[in-house]
């Protein structure tokens, strides 16, 4: 193997400030973690409700292991379909108020499995320019025509829709909360356009599930669009503190996914203990109105103070709060200086975000204290 080309690629990444390394966490996830043997405040986790180390979820997993063992043994279409999987799907469908649900092993597998099962070479998929990479990969795998519209630009989206022949199958797909910007999609406007131009709508609720809506089911609920979004996809690895993903869909779509979604068909089923843990997390989310209110209040406080200090937090309206730096090397340097002060905030750089938009990505959790927030603000003030 000639490794010189690979070494040159790595050198280019290093020069541009975009080379990445892994940092090892030596503790459970939480507002504080052990990093490199040092206890630090954690402001870059997606564990929005602080459930990743919750005792109720851990107990549910342990009890399920006693009843069902750990591994599921096979794909769900062979012999890996177990009661916890089906119970979780029933719970999710009830929570999301859809006819049915199907569980996947990860959000990436869900997006790369759902879209190719529904769309083909004759189809057109319209995707927000800032959608998650897994959505883009799902569209590419479907072989549908991919059209990316400028971020949240409904006028541009309508112009594209106008020019697609009426007989072409269409799908508009969007994140509901954008993972690197922290803003909400204009979901009502998207649904209105979809109705007008006879398109399906798919919403990725990964960063909205458990966080937004009166009962925490996401932006679809918050926007009053239950029953009007064809496919609601989301993850169980963020606010739910677990692992896996779901598609909440009409029953006919679930049947189609079971038969055509390759990332569902050709993989071993999620361990039943993880499914049972997710059921426990779902119950906590349903009862967690105060937890969500506290989370959103803390995020608004931090965002307001950062803007007062002159930081560009972009269009964030959620617990994801970017600080736009632009330069990759500078963002890495700022992250390093914060870590030296005992605060862990990751620098996000291309290709995760567009060139020239490197940033620090702050995330607030319900378990952060007021002192934690002020400690972060003081550290940023002294950079």
């Amino acid at each position: 193997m000639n490794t010189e080309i690979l070494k040159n690629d790595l050198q280019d990444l290093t020069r541009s400030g975009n080379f990445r390394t892994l940092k090892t966490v030596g503790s459970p996830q939480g507002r504080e973690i052990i990093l490199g043997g040092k206890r630090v405040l954690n402001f870059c986790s997606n564990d929005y409700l602080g459930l990743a180390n919750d005792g109720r979820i851990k107990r549910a997993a342990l009890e399920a292991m006693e009843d069902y063992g750990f591994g599921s043994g096979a794909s769900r279409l062979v012999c890996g379909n177990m009661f916890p999987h089906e119970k979780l799907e029933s719970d999710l469908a009830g929570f999301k108020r859809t006819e049915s649900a199907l569980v996947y092993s990860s959000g990436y597998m869900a997006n790369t499995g759902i879209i190719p099962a529904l769309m083909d070479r004759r189809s057109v998929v319209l995707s927000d320019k800032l959608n998650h990479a897994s959505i883009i990969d799902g569209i590419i795998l479907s072989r549908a025509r991919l059209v990316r519209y400028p971020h949240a630009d409904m006028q541009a989206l309508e112009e594209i829709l106008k020019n697609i022949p009426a007989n072409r199958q269409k799908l508009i797909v969007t994140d509901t909360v954008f993972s690197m910007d922290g803003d909400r999609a204009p979901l009502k406007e998207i649904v209105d356009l979809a109705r007008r131009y006879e398109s399906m709508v798919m919403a990725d609720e990964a960063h909205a599930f458990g966080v937004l809506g009166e009962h925490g089911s996401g932006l679809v609920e918050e926007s009053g669009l239950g029953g009007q979004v064809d496919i609601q996809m989301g993850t169980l690895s963020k606010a739910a503190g677990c692992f896996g993903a779901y598609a909440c869909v009409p029953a006919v779509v679930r049947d189609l996914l079971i038969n055509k979604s390759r990332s569902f068909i050709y993989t071993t089923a999620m361990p039943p203990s993880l499914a049972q843990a997710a059921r426990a997390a779902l119950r906590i989310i349903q009862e967690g109105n105060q937890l969500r209110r506290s989370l959103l209040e803390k995020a608004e406080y931090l965002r307001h103070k950062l803007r007062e200090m002159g930081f560009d937090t972009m269009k964030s309206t959620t617990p994801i709060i970017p600080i736009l730096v632009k330069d990759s090397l500078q963002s890495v340097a700022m992250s390093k200086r914060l870590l030296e002060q005992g605060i862990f905030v990751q620098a996000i750089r291309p290709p995760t975000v567009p060139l020239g938009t490197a940033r620090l990505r702050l995330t607030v959790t319900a378990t952060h204290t007021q002192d934690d927030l002020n400690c972060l603000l003081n550290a940023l003030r002294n950079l």
Side-chain angles (χ1 to χ4, degrees):
M1 178 189 231
N2 184 349
T3 61
E4 288 307 309
I5 294 175
L6 305 182
K7 289 177 181 177
N8 289 337
D9 285 347
L10 291 173
Q11 288 170 0
D12 289 342
L13 288 170
T14 302
R15 280 192 292 268
S16 63
N18 294 322
F19 180 72
R20 293 162 171 77
T21 58
L22 296 172
K23 291 182 172 66
T24 304
V25 176
S27 65
Q29 289 292 328
R31 52 173 282 275
E32 287 187 328
I33 55 174
I34 304 296
L35 200 66
K38 178 183 174 184
R39 186 170 293 277
V40 297
L41 279 174
N42 182 13
F43 277 98
C44 53
S45 172
N46 296 324
D47 183 26
Y48 300 117
L49 299 180
L51 300 184
N53 192 38
D54 189 280
R56 293 165 289 184
I57 294 173
K58 291 191 287 188
R59 282 192 295 276
L62 289 170
E63 288 169 6
M65 278 193 278
E66 289 297 322
D67 293 339
Y68 297 100
F70 185 71
S72 54
S75 71
R76 287 182 64 189
L77 282 169
V78 178
C79 67
N81 187 45
M82 303 174 82
F83 283 119
H85 300 128
E86 294 194 341
K87 289 176 180 176
L88 174 58
E89 288 168 346
S90 177
D91 291 350
L92 284 164
F95 185 45
K96 280 286 199 174
R97 299 185 179 181
T98 58
E99 283 186 351
S100 67
L102 189 68
V103 169
Y104 285 80
S105 293
S106 73
Y108 191 93
M109 292 177 74
N111 279 333
T112 56
I114 295 166
I115 299 170
L118 298 174
M119 311 303 283
D120 59 26
R121 294 177 190 272
R122 297 161 293 178
S123 309
V124 181
V125 183
L126 301 98
S127 173
D128 188 292
K129 195 170 183 180
L130 295 187
N131 275 344
H132 192 266
S134 60
I135 293 174
I136 303 304
D137 289 354
I139 299 168
I140 291 169
L141 286 170
S142 77
R143 297 178 174 84
R145 178 187 166 206
L146 165 60
V147 182
R148 301 176 76 183
Y149 60 90
H151 177 52
D153 187 334
M154 295 299 96
Q155 186 176 346
L157 176 58
E158 182 167 17
E159 286 302 313
I160 295 165
L161 285 164
K162 281 179 182 176
N163 291 303
I164 298 173
N167 62 351
R168 298 288 290 276
Q169 186 177 27
K170 298 179 285 292
L171 172 68
I172 304 169
V173 57
T174 184
D175 285 334
T176 56
V177 170
F178 291 88
S179 61
M180 295 298 127
D181 291 51
D183 58 334
R184 292 163 162 89
L187 201 55
K188 285 184 178 179
E189 292 88 342
I190 289 171
V191 168
D192 286 344
L193 287 173
R195 279 192 196 140
R196 203 176 313 159
Y197 294 97
E198 299 183 329
S199 173
M200 292 188 293
V201 177
M202 176 175 168
D204 182 334
E205 294 265 57
H207 292 273
F209 183 77
V211 174
L212 301 182
E214 183 182 355
H215 302 99
S217 75
L219 188 65
V220 173
E221 179 195 19
E222 182 180 85
S223 304
L225 296 171
Q228 298 180 60
V229 174
D230 302 284
I231 302 111
Q232 294 185 56
M233 172 270 170
T235 58
L236 302 165
S237 55
K238 298 175 176 64
C242 297
F243 194 72
Y246 62 82
C248 284
V249 292
V252 65
V253 175
R254 182 180 189 269
D255 288 343
L256 186 71
L257 294 177
I258 289 171
N259 284 275
K260 291 187 66 179
S261 183
R262 293 168 69 89
S263 61
F264 173 83
I265 297 167
Y266 299 111
T267 192
T268 299
M270 172 196 293
S273 58
L274 298 188
Q276 202 71 347
R279 295 186 71 210
L282 189 56
R283 288 193 290 272
I284 296 169
I285 287 170
Q286 289 173 301
E287 298 164 0
N289 289 341
Q290 183 53 47
L291 202 61
R292 277 189 296 282
R293 278 195 293 271
S294 173
L295 168 65
L296 295 173
E297 286 168 5
K298 288 169 184 175
E300 183 54 36
Y301 169 80
L302 183 59
R303 186 165 38 246
H304 175 71
K305 290 295 183 182
L306 288 168
R307 287 172 178 168
E308 275 190 346
M309 291 163 61
F311 288 110
D312 184 351
T313 60
M314 305 175 72
K315 295 181 179 179
S316 167
T317 60
T318 68
I320 300 166
I321 307 174
I323 294 178
L324 184 64
V325 179
K326 297 183 180 180
D327 180 72
S328 292
L329 289 167
Q330 186 181 351
S331 68
V332 171
M334 291 172 70
S335 174
K336 183 179 178 182
R337 290 200 296 273
L338 286 170
L339 191 55
E340 289 167 355
Q341 298 180 64
I343 297 172
F344 185 33
V345 177
Q346 279 284 22
I348 306 296
R349 297 153 284 159
T352 305
V353 294
L355 195 64
T357 68
R359 66 200 66 179
L360 298 177
R361 178 186 183 268
L362 308 176
T363 50
V364 184
T365 71
T367 55
H368 281 121
T369 67
Q370 191 65 41
D371 285 345
D372 294 339
L373 301 181
N374 290 332
C375 182
L376 170 62
L377 290 167
N378 287 333
L380 287 164
R381 192 176 285 114
N382 295 325
L383 281 182

